[in-house]
Amino acid sequence: MNMISGMTRMKAEILSVPSVVAGQIDTSLAAYLALGERLATLDPNLVVTSARGSSDHAATYFKYLVEMRLGVPVASVGPSVSSVYGTRWKLEKTPVMAISQSGGSDDLRLFMEAARQSGAVGISLTNDKNSPLAKATDTVLDMSAGPELAVAATKTYIASLVALAAVVAGWSGDQSMVEALRRLPDDLGKALECKWTAALETFQAPGNVFVTARGPGLGIADEAALKLKETCLKPAEAFSAAELIHGPLALSGKTMTALAFLSDDEGRAGTENAVARLRETGSIVFTVDSRNTGGQVLPSVKTGHCLLDPVAQILSFYLFVEELSVSLGLNPDAPQHLNKVTVTR
């Protein structure tokens, strides 16, 4: 296991997140806000995103923010529709955003090239401004996260969320979100103090895991399920709290553990109802919450804006899942069968 001062690379990168985001706000916030203002001027009827893995989970977060705050639908497009199936797009004047930590995957580059050929406004969000994807776009947003060495993305995922939230703040003219973004590094420092030790023994046991949330938290739930799979080899699936009763609830029961991310918005009641249904089946349910305390409540930080609360929640989760991985005798820096940069077509 690669260790840095007695800790895994993954943990070192998790602990660096508050300072990374502070640097990101200093160097790149103006560019994010400027893109948002440009989108406001463009006033599109549709936005398209394309991404894979953790980056696609960040796109889900962005989707909810744009749809909730601006009423503009956001569609996620699989890059293979261009790279494999050779589709000719009809995306004239449509903002198309590709999100990729490395910017090195051929499928995203080929999708972006095809989208721009159709007249789309090409935007990329990447941690490498000189990547092939960046060179294929009109506007490049820098994650400004610095090199990430652990295979499991953590700080680049959070940097993606911050950048996307800032774009929405600029687009919607939400000054309260801008101010909350400036204070976010301090909130993230507090998120690293949230201890989830109470859940460790339960998650160490064999069995499947449901992760659930609603709205902007759904992209966080997706990300948590992915990290449980890749760093802990836990069979974990994420579902919207609204979707649980449309089939997945049949799998719940005494052998199921669930993790629910609670929000301080209109979607909270729906998630609480899902938690109640899961507990009725005998599942062990841990909730991530900034309001309540208790044996099965994992603490989280309330930020200066409800739409940024999921960012603090996933950081606290990252610290937990790294500890869980190590406790299971696994190496979270090098998940089996996986590489840092994934090249797909």
Side-chain angles (χ1 to χ4, degrees):
M1 189 179 297
N2 294 313
M3 305 292 283
I4 302 173
S5 302
M7 68 176 69
T8 65
R9 284 176 172 170
M10 182 179 177
K11 185 170 184 178
E13 289 170 352
I14 292 166
L15 294 177
S16 75
V17 165
S19 61
V20 165
V21 172
Q24 180 187 23
I25 294 298
D26 286 343
T27 61
S28 299
L29 179 60
Y32 303 154
L33 295 174
L35 175 62
E37 292 164 1
R38 179 184 169 200
L39 291 172
T41 300
L42 185 62
D43 194 23
N45 292 321
L46 172 70
V47 175
V48 170
T49 64
S50 192
R52 294 196 186 278
S54 293
S55 294
D56 198 34
H57 304 157
T60 298
Y61 172 76
F62 178 66
K63 170 185 173 69
Y64 276 97
L65 265 58
V66 172
E67 292 178 349
M68 290 166 60
R69 287 303 168 103
L70 295 152
V72 178
V74 178
S76 173
V77 171
S80 64
V81 179
S82 288
S83 63
V84 175
Y85 299 103
T87 295
R88 295 176 64 88
W89 295 103
K90 297 179 180 179
L91 292 170
E92 186 174 359
K93 297 182 180 179
T94 301
V96 173
M97 180 179 290
I99 306 168
S100 172
Q101 174 205 321
S102 69
S105 192
D106 288 340
D107 57 351
L108 284 171
R109 175 184 58 80
L110 291 168
F111 165 71
M112 182 59 71
E113 290 174 351
R116 288 183 65 200
Q117 286 171 7
S118 76
V121 179
I123 304 161
S124 62
L125 173 60
T126 177
N127 203 37
D128 183 354
K129 294 187 295 183
N130 297 310
S131 65
L133 174 62
K135 293 176 180 178
T137 49
D138 301 300
T139 300
V140 182
L141 297 180
D142 189 357
M143 291 180 188
S144 305
E148 187 170 59
L149 301 178
V151 171
T154 54
K155 66 177 183 175
T156 53
Y157 175 71
I158 289 178
S160 298
L161 300 182
V162 171
L164 295 167
V167 170
V168 173
W171 188 353
S172 62
D174 188 343
Q175 191 58 36
S176 66
M177 185 184 284
V178 176
E179 294 306 314
L181 283 163
R182 296 187 190 279
R183 299 193 301 271
L184 187 60
D186 290 338
D187 293 328
L188 294 175
K190 295 173 184 175
L192 289 175
E193 298 173 2
C194 292
K195 304 303 180 186
W196 292 12
T197 309
L200 199 58
E201 183 177 353
T202 300
F203 278 84
Q204 286 169 339
N208 296 339
V209 178
F210 273 168
V211 189
T212 190
R214 290 199 75 171
L218 183 57
I220 307 304
D222 289 335
E223 174 66 5
L226 174 63
K227 289 298 183 286
L228 285 165
K229 285 193 278 274
E230 67 180 342
T231 68
C232 300
L233 305 183
K234 299 287 290 184
E237 297 297 334
F239 297 97
S240 163
E243 294 295 335
L244 277 174
I245 60 173
H246 292 278
L249 192 67
L251 293 173
S252 62
K254 294 181 179 179
T255 61
M256 177 69 69
T257 300
L259 180 66
F261 290 91
L262 292 176
S263 59
D264 275 333
D265 60 22
E266 295 84 348
R268 182 183 179 95
T271 307
E272 289 177 331
N273 289 337
V275 168
R277 292 292 300 274
L278 285 165
R279 285 179 172 153
E280 287 172 0
T281 70
S283 295
I284 300 172
V285 186
F286 289 92
T287 59
V288 181
D289 196 3
S290 62
R291 290 191 194 177
N292 301 314
T293 59
Q296 292 183 317
V297 179
L298 306 177
S300 66
V301 170
K302 185 172 179 59
T303 68
H305 197 291
C306 66
L307 295 181
L308 298 179
D309 290 350
V311 184
Q313 289 180 330
I314 196 63
L315 181 57
S316 298
F317 169 82
Y318 280 156
L319 205 58
F320 167 74
V321 81
E322 187 275 343
E323 183 181 6
L324 177 61
S325 178
V326 172
S327 75
L328 292 170
L330 301 171
N331 180 2
D333 288 340
Q336 64 179 13
H337 314 311
L338 301 178
N339 298 310
K340 183 60 181 170
V341 178
T342 303
V343 178
T344 51
R345 179 83 198 276

